[in-house]
Amino acid sequence: MKKKIIICAAVSAMMFGSVSFAASTIDSLSYDVPSKTLRVSGISERNKSYDLNMVTIEVLRPGVTPEKLKEMDDFEKKNAVAFVSQVKMAEDGAYSFVYSPKSVIYGNHNIYVTDPNGEVIYKSVLFTDSEKNNELLSDINSASTAELAKAALEKHSYLLDGVKSADEIQEKYPDKDIIGSIAAMMAGKKYEDAQQVTEYAVKCAVISAVNLAADKEEFKSFLDKYKTEIGFDENKIYTDLFLSFADSIADEFINKNYKDPEAFEENFNDSVIIAKFNNLKNYSGVPAILDAGRAWLKGFDFDRYDKLTNTQKASVQKELITRAPYTSVEEINKVFNDSVKNPVSQNNTPGGGGGGGGGTSSSSSTSGAAISAPNLTNPSKEDKPAQEKNIFDDIDSVPWARESITALYSKGIINGMSDGKFEPNAPVTREQFIKMIVCAYGLENADAKCSFEDVRADSWYYGYIASACEKGIVNGISDELFGAGRNITREDMAVMAYRTALSCGASFKNGAESFADDENIYDYAKDAVNALKSEGIMSGKDNNLFAPKDYATRAEAAKIIYGLIGLGGKS
């Protein structure tokens, strides 16, 4: 009876169109071939109405999708579920479970996680074994032509059977040979395992759809719908640059007939970066472009750039704007590297804050060095950002944070977004806040390490998170996950800020009056919230509410960091 109730609760949500991708996430999903073991973990929203919060996990049989479930009768629906279980969430919402089937049904299994609020999250994973894995690799790795690759895909049809994105694309274009298009992109390449073959085939399916997009609206729709499949949910050029002016550039990607996912990514990233530089009105938008493109822009001497003073960085940024327009990334690369090698000295450049770029701030220290927190409470004449008019044209809406934003910008601790915008009310991700606070206190250590599964060593934020872990500033949302890409809540921002200040020798008052919603603040965050309120660094909202679960804004982050620096302390 318990199994039947669980199935009805979760599957019915998928059937009646209430599948919703809310704050809950599947952060790690893997199937180990030798042990035939599935592992799933992530974060789920809690339901305040329940003392015991449970997450329901369902593993559907190969080929079963929400659309197919709608067409099944009750008996078929019951048999469509290979496995179902419930696990208790941790206090912070973390959950994890392990599934080792007695017998493996080969193919793609859709995994559904239903949180206590009825929200459903979906991902797909391939179940196979060593024998099938080796047979597939032999067939696909020896496929030197599109015809041979198509034959391999048709022989191993379980690879794409039931993969939601591939099914949707084939259904949208029933008269097109999508499998043939996928095969043409996959031919002649080498793969390490069956899961990699599946993931790449799905990428090729998405690019096949991109090649068939009739107009810019359809193109934008494909990217938004399948951004996770092609890795664009983690591509800052897409999330931080393209989305801000998509209507102006999307037409450039229509009717290009990209030969494979790599060709599309190269054309997309280069085109967006070039267009952004060519359309900037002033140099305050340059740091956002450099930060978003840092992982992509090979050959750019960022190591030398990061060592420049903020005034010298500003001269590089101004030169990049002066030399626009560009027709290739190579042109931008040459201007950047030439300017970095011969930056305008401080004595020859007017005062006023530069951009700071995407790297470490000028207050960064090497491992082991003790360094005072930056003096922003009384900036010198040269450092005062007010000397440069209109650094950002959208911060008058947050007068309470204007001083904090301009001061931190002048020190290279925070950057603008684009086109002279700071976007003060936009949310801040966990990794973005860590970067701000690590740079503010000069805590970056190039030798620091961390082992979070969602923090890759080649990601732009690895060094900042690793340095913060070393200082005990952040523990992650679970033992395995940092929570990269998730917006930071006000209470978690308070905790990170508080720990940073303590690690740097700051002291706090105690005894502030509790917020009206104190009971909604997690226990691990209460000391931090109280301390920051006592110092006047962090205040509540209307009616003395702290709103701990609300996402912090860029303006709030700047205000807190600026206030902390005023407390002093050393790293």
Side-chain angles (χ1 to χ4, degrees), residues 540-568:
K541 300 189 176 185
D542 293 340
N543 302 317
N544 192 36
L545 295 175
F546 179 65
K549 306 301 185 290
D550 283 4
Y551 293 138
T553 67
R554 287 168 55 80
E556 289 171 343
K559 178 72 173 177
I560 286 177
I561 293 174
Y562 187 59
L564 281 180
I565 290 172
L567 290 177

Side-chain angles (χ1 to χ4, degrees), residues 236-281:
K236 294 189 69 177
I237 296 174
Y238 171 75
T239 59
D240 295 3
L241 301 183
F242 173 79
L243 292 179
S244 66
F245 76 138
D247 285 336
S248 302
I249 191 177
D251 280 330
E252 293 189 21
F253 305 107
I254 306 301
N255 299 321
K256 288 293 183 70
N257 196 27
Y258 300 101
K259 68 176 183 178
D260 56 31
E262 291 79 13
F264 170 70
E265 182 180 31
E266 179 178 2
N267 179 260
F268 178 88
N269 288 347
D270 285 357
S271 297
V272 171
I273 288 172
I274 292 168
K276 271 309 225 184
F277 270 112
N278 290 347
N279 286 279
L280 281 183
K281 297 177 181 177

